[in-house]
Amino acid sequence: MTSTVSAPVARTADGSALQAVLLDMDGTLVDTEGFWWDVEVDVFGELGHRLDESWRDIVVGGPMTRSAAFLIESTGAAITVADLSVLLNERFEARIADRVPLMPGAERLLAELARHNVPTALVSASHRRVIDRVLRSLGPERFALSVAGDEVPRTKPHPDPYLLAARVLGAHPSRCAVIEDTATGVAAAEAAGCRVVAVPSVGLIAPAPGRTVVRSLEDVDLPFLRSLITAVN
């Protein structure tokens, strides 16, 4: 289940329309998108199959079931989606061990949001067991809420995870700033009606109405996020 809310949503002191910041995990806050691909390559190698590098852009950022089904269909591997999902999660957990590398700017941004009491949620397509392990590196106290891919009927690219996070935080989706690194995550956030900041990790993401693309989290701070929400409300 999702975690409980630790702080109420309130209008910021400068009158900004920003009510909450919702962040993706893999590739956005932690440098793990490459870890997932390495694990997938290793597992399918053991099954006697070689993954095409071009498939990486297809599976990145998506729910485990979708990625697993695609790779099984593409390779013809003799394994079920359920068994592959368990195997990939176990291998990934072993790979990250006790700590994971944070993306540049992640530590500073999370500290800034916490310092200003901005309601913040972690919204990921990864399973709860993986999220809880990664939270050890991110600091669970920095998030009022976390939503895992196996806790919603439909995960990314559907809007459900972001709609759930906004609802629990008591925020309107249009007053939420979402930070994502993949086209799948961006699609989910935009379908929910949120203002999106894209920080591409794998593949290109083009600017679009309601979407801002930046080079890294080092280009993102609280005044920047507040200005984006104010500009569209």
Side-chain angles (χ1 to χ4, degrees):
M1 295 297 292
T2 53
S3 64
T4 57
V5 178
S6 61
V9 175
R11 195 174 184 84
T12 56
D14 66 352
S16 169
L18 178 68
Q19 291 183 323
V21 176
L22 316 177
L23 301 108
D24 174 56
M25 187 177 75
D26 295 298
T28 298
L29 290 176
V30 291
D31 192 7
T32 51
E33 291 290 15
F35 288 7
W36 280 112
W37 179 248
D38 290 344
V39 166
E40 289 161 347
V41 168
D42 290 346
V43 167
F44 276 89
E46 294 170 6
L47 294 171
H49 299 275
R50 183 175 181 178
L51 300 188
D52 191 304
E53 184 69 24
S54 66
W55 297 343
R56 184 173 180 174
D57 289 351
I58 299 174
V59 301
V60 68
M64 176 67 70
T65 52
R66 188 192 72 179
S67 299
F70 171 82
L71 293 175
I72 290 172
E73 181 179 357
S74 298
T75 60
I79 189 171
T80 66
V81 170
D83 288 344
L84 179 59
S85 297
V86 170
L87 185 55
L88 291 176
N89 274 316
E90 289 177 345
R91 292 291 184 87
F92 182 78
E93 288 184 67
R95 180 69 183 270
I96 63 177
D98 293 326
R99 293 195 64 82
V100 294
L102 272 60
M103 297 296 287
E107 173 67 29
R108 174 200 51 77
L109 177 59
L110 290 175
E112 182 180 17
L113 295 174
R115 188 168 61 251
H116 291 274
N117 298 314
V118 177
T120 303
L122 186 66
V123 182
S124 175
S126 290
H127 289 189
R128 169 55 58 188
R129 56 188 288 184
V130 172
I131 288 180
D132 286 345
R133 185 174 287 259
V134 174
L135 278 172
R136 300 175 190 173
S137 297
L138 293 174
E141 72 282 354
R142 288 173 163 169
F143 300 93
L145 174 74
S146 61
V147 179
D150 56 342
E151 295 173 339
V152 289
R154 302 185 307 170
T155 189
K156 305 173 186 179
H158 299 287
D160 306 37
Y162 283 113
L163 291 173
L164 174 61
R167 183 170 69 251
V168 174
L169 290 176
H172 192 280
S174 67
R175 301 291 182 89
C176 294
V178 169
I179 304 179
E180 274 279 1
D181 72 303
T182 67
T184 298
V186 168
E190 291 181 342
C194 302
R195 185 65 160 88
V196 178
V197 177
V199 191
S201 64
V202 178
L204 298 176
I205 300 176
R211 178 197 312 166
T212 302
V213 180
V214 298
R215 178 183 57 85
S216 80
L217 289 181
E218 294 180 320
D219 299 326
V220 180
D221 58 16
L222 184 52
F224 170 75
L225 295 174
R226 286 175 172 169
S227 70
L228 292 177
I229 301 299
T230 300
V232 298
N233 285 279

